[in-house]
Amino acid sequence: MKMKRLVCMGVMVMALVMSDTIEAADLTGAWKGLLSSADGSQAEVQIDFSPQGFPLYSYTNNKGLTRQVELSHVGQTVEYVPPGGGVQRMVVERVEKGQGRLSVGIVGSFERASQGYLDQRQEAALFEYALVPGGLKMRVTTSSTSHFGDKDLMVGGDPDAVVAEGVLQKLR
């Protein structure tokens, strides 16, 4: 009887390990496709996922070096000086992973001072991925705002929100 329980537990553990491996494997590699928004605009995107099934954030710093960071946990921060100066910061606020789906929420900010003027931009984005029969469905919801000013006056526009979605195809 004990041997049967051990075998049964072993099978359950292997099933859990295999399901996590299959889930991660489904989202690994590169995916490419077209995202469309309600206003009719379209953009071609390519998303790379790590072997663990998390998206990779790529950026180029002011020295021309391109880096890639796996976005895997809440509180993760990426900060760098982009070409042209200033400071770009991105913080992961949400990571939810399930069977064949993943959502990652990030908040980003950019700030640069030049010749007495301050340029500030903030953006929040929610990336939602779900495996569907035709590929990988991707939905991106962004909200952004910007401010520009000097020591006497700060001006900014109304927040801008965009939702874009499409189905991506696996490249590799």
Side-chain angles (χ1 to χ4, degrees):
M1 190 66 154
K2 284 184 182 180
M3 182 58 114
K4 188 175 179 180
R5 283 187 188 169
L6 275 173
V7 170
C8 194
M9 284 187 55
V11 169
M12 287 191 324
V13 168
M14 284 301 290
L16 287 173
V17 169
M18 292 298 285
S19 70
D20 283 348
T21 303
I22 290 168
E23 182 179 316
D26 289 342
L27 289 176
T28 62
W31 296 79
K32 188 174 185 176
L34 200 60
L35 296 183
S36 302
S37 63
D39 69 359
S41 62
Q42 297 182 324
E44 187 172 72
V45 297
Q46 179 174 327
I47 306 297
D48 295 317
F49 289 89
S50 71
Q52 292 74 33
F54 292 105
L56 299 172
Y57 176 72
S58 298
Y59 64 92
T60 302
N61 67 20
N62 65 335
K63 299 196 183 327
L65 298 174
T66 300
R67 306 271 189 207
Q68 217 172 37
V69 178
E70 178 187 57
L71 303 181
S72 61
H73 60 277
V74 172
Q76 185 175 6
T77 301
V78 177
E79 188 172 274
Y80 61 97
V81 176
V87 175
Q88 179 74 47
R89 172 182 280 182
M90 192 266 315
V91 179
V92 177
E93 289 200 329
R94 171 181 166 180
V95 176
E96 293 178 13
K97 196 170 189 181
Q99 186 64 33
R101 64 172 189 78
L102 172 70
S103 3
V104 178
I106 62 172
V107 174
S109 64
F110 172 77
E111 188 170 283
R112 175 177 45 207
S114 177
Q115 300 178 359
Y117 294 99
L118 180 63
D119 179 12
Q120 295 177 314
R121 295 179 223 145
Q122 293 83 34
E123 181 173 82
L126 176 61
F127 298 88
E128 298 171 283
Y129 308 98
L131 290 169
V132 296
L136 179 67
K137 182 175 182 182
M138 179 179 176
R139 179 182 170 101
V140 182
T141 306
T142 61
S143 175
S144 61
T145 185
S146 62
H147 301 348
F148 183 79
D150 61 14
K151 63 181 174 130
D152 296 323
L153 181 65
M154 182 69 86
V155 295
D158 292 329
D160 186 28
V162 176
V163 176
E165 58 188 336
V167 176
L168 312 181
Q169 302 302 310
K170 192 164 192 170
L171 297 176
R172 51 182 151 79

